[in-house]
Amino acid sequence: MNVLLKNATIVDSTNKNLHLKKRDILVKNGVIDKIASKITPPNKTKIIDYKNLHVSLGWFDSSVSFGEPGYEERETIENGLKTAARSGFTDIVLNPNTNPVPDSSSDIVFLKNTAKYSVNNLHPLGTLTAKGEGKHLAEMFDMKNAGAVGFYDFKRSIENSNLLKIALQYAQNFDGLVHSFPMDTKIAGKGVVNEGEVSTKMGLKGIPVLAEELQIARDIFILEYTGGKLHIPTISTTNSVKLIADAKKKGLDVSCSVAIHNLFMIDASLEEYDTNCKVMPPLRTKKDIKALIKGVKEGVIDFVCSDHIPMNIEEKRVEFDNATDGSLGLETTFGILNQIFDLEKSIELLTRGRERYQLQTPVFKEGEIACLTLFNPEEEFTFTKEEIVSTSNNSMYLGKLIKGRVFGVICNNQILI
């Protein structure tokens, strides 16, 4: 496959010689063959010459759910990866949000094999506990050898403190990354939205910020005792940022992420009772958003993720209390991120994070394998159902202004535009 990108603006702050320069880029047989001011294309070369074409290293998302196996009506792996590629992501970490959950090496092999020939790369998480039930550790070592990049009972907190302690100690034997969802279920109770003025006004049970922060404080204390590697996914409160900042100052090996919607939308967005805005952790307040954005800028928060969770219509078109948590996020992550931060910061956030999962980071230079995302950062449009690539339609961003159009990706010696 030969592809020539014409007059593309390169966005790569790690490469001062090319950053924000316009260049022609020739990709031959999946490798960046030449980068120059002007390149005459060889025969049988696909030429991409789009208005305001920008190119960066391929984007990475640390929290994506599909449905297969078990929930194929939500999203298959094939269409989910196509959605990710159309959204600019060359690498995604797949959550164990399936039925059955992946808790053995054979489950990880199935996921890897199903995605083997895709234009982009799927990196599966295995569950931390058998069947994701929080009672006994799963086959972590075997799953790691089969290709699991970490261990996570998706959106389920590890209530048994001793189990988390043992997991962190055991995982050190093979450099495993343990995930712990930040939610004390006893404090959260039957809450469905952020506890505060909006929950009172709507007559819905609230989830206090204490539920998240208490769990994070506990997990950090355990990590300080055991050592090991801990990742806290999708934090959402002001004090959560402070707790993790303090832990990093102590030298603890802890990382965290924030979902893009928790940087963009507040709990007041729920006043229409739109179940597409029902997520976990819940949408919080302007104060929390301000603290989270500051945490991202200062590097306390390691990743901004889509937290993409497809849900079919039956799981959303019900009473708010009974609706399943989750929103689509892949298709809109760049367009929202590009409004919160400047272009350089947005691309930095989208291309960082692979090292935490022991994945190789691509390099933008001649002779290196091409792992590229193509986009126009200036195009603005209103997000509608026609823009959705996913099988499901549960997007909280419908009707929202999006800034930035993704053209597609070049990866694995394939192109999807």
Side-chain angles (χ1 to χ4, degrees):
M1 178 195 74
N2 293 346
V3 179
L4 178 63
L5 308 181
K6 292 292 293 181
N7 205 30
T9 300
I10 297 170
V11 185
D12 181 5
S13 59
T14 65
N15 190 331
K16 301 304 180 184
N17 294 326
L18 294 175
H19 185 48
L20 300 182
K21 302 289 197 321
K22 286 192 175 184
R23 296 288 187 269
D24 286 1
I25 303 165
L26 178 63
V27 177
K28 293 179 70 174
N29 300 318
V31 174
I32 300 174
D33 184 72
K34 190 174 182 181
I35 304 171
S37 297
K38 188 173 183 180
I39 299 174
T40 302
N43 293 332
K44 297 182 180 178
T45 298
K46 180 179 178 65
I47 298 175
I48 298 176
D49 188 7
Y50 293 157
K51 180 181 178 182
N52 200 31
L53 174 62
H54 284 58
V55 60
S56 73
L57 293 173
W59 299 346
F60 172 79
D61 192 337
S62 65
S63 182
V64 175
S65 299
F66 293 148
E68 185 180 1
Y71 300 122
E72 287 83 356
E73 72 281 2
R74 297 177 183 175
E75 191 76 276
T76 62
I77 291 173
E78 180 182 3
N79 194 69
L81 287 170
K82 175 185 173 185
T83 302
R86 286 276 298 274
S87 305
F89 293 94
T90 57
D91 293 83
I92 62 108
V93 173
L94 185 68
N95 291 315
N97 186 21
T98 56
N99 184 25
V101 294
D103 63 354
S104 68
S105 57
S106 59
D107 296 326
I108 300 300
V109 169
F110 166 78
L111 294 170
K112 296 280 287 185
N113 285 342
T114 305
K116 185 183 294 185
Y117 301 108
S118 175
V119 65
N120 45 7
N121 305 306
L122 181 152
H123 310 287
L125 293 170
T127 57
L128 184 68
T129 64
K131 298 182 181 180
E133 293 177 345
K135 296 178 181 178
H136 309 284
L137 291 184
E139 300 172 7
M140 296 166 63
F141 179 67
D142 289 346
M143 287 193 286
K144 175 73 182 293
N145 289 338
V149 296
F151 310 98
Y152 180 24
D153 288 357
F154 180 67
K155 301 290 186 182
R156 296 181 184 177
S157 56
I158 306 301
E159 295 184 11
N160 185 333
S161 301
N162 191 54
L163 192 64
L164 179 63
K165 175 180 77 74
I166 294 170
L168 285 165
Q169 290 171 328
Y170 175 56
Q172 291 176 58
N173 294 305
F174 48 89
D175 201 22
L177 180 61
V178 172
H179 292 54
S180 179
F181 183 64
M183 185 67 68
D184 185 310
T185 56
K186 298 295 191 297
I187 299 290
K190 295 182 179 180
V192 293
V193 297
N194 180 55
E195 182 183 78
E197 183 180 332
V198 173
S199 64
T200 302
K201 181 178 178 181
M202 295 177 69
L204 296 171
K205 290 184 175 66
I207 301 174
V209 295
L210 177 65
E212 177 171 310
E213 295 159 4
L214 192 62
Q215 190 84 358
I216 290 175
R218 184 208 71 167
D219 291 354
I220 288 171
F221 271 118
I222 294 172
L223 178 67
E224 189 171 7
Y225 176 81
T226 61
K229 294 165 58 176
L230 178 67
H231 179 66
I232 301 174
T234 59
I235 68 171
S236 67
T237 79
T238 300
N239 206 37
S240 294
V241 179
K242 183 178 183 302
L243 287 166
I244 292 168
D246 290 344
K248 288 187 172 186
K249 287 176 184 176
K250 290 181 178 180
L252 300 182
D253 194 352
V254 60
S255 57
C256 67
S257 65
V258 61
I260 184 67
H261 47 253
N262 284 111
L263 296 178
F264 184 69
M265 296 178 71
I266 59 175
D267 54 358
S269 306
L270 296 164
E271 291 183 357
E272 298 291 325
Y273 292 89
D274 181 358
T275 56
N276 288 333
C277 295
K278 187 186 178 195
V279 289
M280 187 60 65
L283 300 178
R284 301 288 190 182
T285 66
K286 288 182 180 178
K287 177 186 175 185
D288 294 308
I289 285 183
K290 184 177 179 181
L292 290 165
I293 290 175
K294 184 180 179 184
V296 171
K297 289 179 176 178
E298 293 179 349
V300 175
I301 297 175
D302 301 270
F303 319 124
V304 177
C305 63
S306 69
D307 206 28
H308 178 85
I309 306 177
M311 287 291 163
N312 58 42
I313 194 168
E314 290 83 4
E315 292 164 301
K316 283 294 186 179
R317 192 172 289 179
V318 293
E319 296 86 353
F320 195 94
D321 278 349
N322 297 325
T324 307
D325 300 318
S327 170
L328 301 182
L330 281 169
E331 295 100 325
T332 48
T333 293
F334 172 59
I336 300 299
L337 200 64
N338 197 32
Q339 296 176 57
I340 301 171
F341 304 100
D342 62 35
L343 176 61
E344 292 179 61
K345 184 64 176 179
S346 297
I347 299 304
E348 179 207 332
L349 291 169
L350 288 166
T351 53
R352 73 156 70 151
R354 289 173 171 87
E355 298 87 352
R356 186 60 171 167
Y357 291 89
Q358 299 180 319
L359 303 172
Q360 186 172 354
T361 300
V363 180
F364 210 133
K365 71 176 184 179
E366 294 177 358
E368 295 287 340
I369 293 173
C371 180
L372 306 173
T373 298
L374 316 180
F375 58 97
N376 175 356
E378 301 301 328
E379 183 177 346
E380 295 185 346
F381 60 97
T382 299
F383 190 71
T384 64
K385 284 189 177 181
E386 286 68 36
E387 304 285 344
I388 293 177
V389 187
S390 303
T391 303
S392 299
N393 291 318
N394 59 305
S395 174
M396 67 167 67
Y397 303 102
L398 290 170
K400 298 289 188 296
L401 179 70
I402 301 297
K403 183 185 178 185
R405 173 76 69 179
V406 177
F407 297 129
V409 300
I410 298 173
C411 188
N412 295 334
N413 197 19
Q414 300 178 59
I415 182 169
L416 190 151
I417 298 289

